[in-house]
Amino acid sequence: MKGVPYLVPAAILALAFTVASAYDPSPLQDFCVTINNTDSTVFVNGKFCKDLATVTANDFFFPGLNIPGNTAASKLGSSVNLVNVDNLPGLNTLGISLARLDFAPYGLNPPHIHPRGTELLVVMEGTLLVGFVTSNPNKLFTKVLNKGDVFVFPIGLIHFQFNIGQTNAVAFAGLSSQNPGLITIANAVFGSNPPINPDVLAKAFQLDKNVVDYLQKQF
């Protein structure tokens, strides 16, 4: 029993390390530029590190975010150009990524989540209706944003952005992970591969099975 008082701080410390491990780890070196060469001798956070002697400024550089995305190519009228560790190698272990979001009039970035990152959005042009939904009991926080406005979407929560204006809208988003991940709700539920049993979806969404069949065919 004499050791019991020490168990409480030890348990708290263990929990803190467990929670911390759910996010990108702090780097143990200045940087770890990724390389696809599996013969590399250093492996950090799912990526191999490039030999420091071969690192160049281009490893920390990504061009083109000044170019509007092609919103016409999307049924939803939106385009997201994500800059993460997969196309900017110097981001590896740094715990951050960036995206440009373009919206046609009434374009939508549909409800989705980033399982590994909080998102900070700033509107550069246009007017966006944005919002996120908490875990149960599912409270909605929503706001209309104009040019220069900023809104934060907490990690792992369903959120969306919708252009309610009659002109194009542009926003930039910073995310607190080198690879925040993306799960688009409608695609995941109705477009999974293999598909979720229609009886499950009909029961969960209180829909006629024919409606579920129709929705699954859209994805």
Side-chain angles (χ1 to χ4, degrees):
M1 294 298 292
K2 291 182 180 180
V4 171
Y6 297 99
L7 293 179
V8 176
I12 294 174
L13 186 61
L15 178 61
F17 278 114
T18 301
V19 173
S21 68
Y23 300 88
D24 288 1
S26 298
L28 301 178
Q29 54 210 51
D30 288 344
F31 50 78
C32 168
V33 174
T34 64
I35 188 172
N36 292 323
N37 178 13
T38 56
D39 292 331
S40 174
T41 57
V42 182
F43 186 76
V44 178
N45 196 27
K47 300 289 183 180
F48 287 93
C49 294
K50 193 174 186 180
D51 187 334
L52 181 59
T54 65
V55 173
T56 70
N58 283 335
D59 291 316
F60 304 94
F61 172 74
F62 181 92
L65 285 189
N66 61 310
I67 301 172
N70 183 11
T71 58
S74 166
K75 294 180 180 179
L76 301 176
S78 66
S79 172
V80 178
N81 188 359
L82 176 65
V83 182
N84 66 3
V85 68
D86 292 328
N87 50 27
L88 182 53
L91 283 178
N92 191 40
T93 74
L94 299 184
I96 192 170
S97 54
L98 178 70
R100 172 177 174 145
L101 296 82
D102 288 275
F103 301 85
Y106 307 109
L108 171 70
N109 190 16
H112 61 280
I113 67 172
H114 301 294
R116 296 181 293 275
T118 290
E119 178 178 341
L120 188 65
L121 183 87
V122 56
V123 177
M124 306 303 293
E125 297 290 345
T127 302
L128 296 178
L129 172 68
V130 307
F132 68 85
V133 180
T134 68
S135 53
N136 293 346
N138 306 132
K139 182 175 181 179
L140 171 66
F141 291 87
T142 185
K143 189 79 173 174
V144 173
L145 305 183
N146 296 296
K147 182 176 180 179
D149 291 342
V150 175
F151 199 82
V152 64
F153 306 97
I155 184 172
L157 297 186
I158 296 174
H159 60 284
F160 62 87
Q161 298 100 16
F162 179 50
N163 182 6
I164 58 175
Q166 298 181 4
T167 61
N168 292 340
V170 181
F172 283 87
L175 298 116
S176 63
S177 172
Q178 66 183 38
N179 187 18
L182 173 67
I183 301 174
T184 304
I185 305 305
N187 298 55
V189 172
F190 295 106
S192 66
N193 184 22
I196 298 173
N197 187 310
D199 292 328
V200 172
L201 299 180
K203 184 81 169 181
F205 288 93
Q206 296 294 287
L207 295 173
D208 185 272
K209 189 176 176 181
N210 291 329
V211 175
V212 172
D213 291 336
Y214 169 79
L215 290 172
Q216 288 184 316
K217 290 176 181 177
Q218 306 311 303
F219 297 92

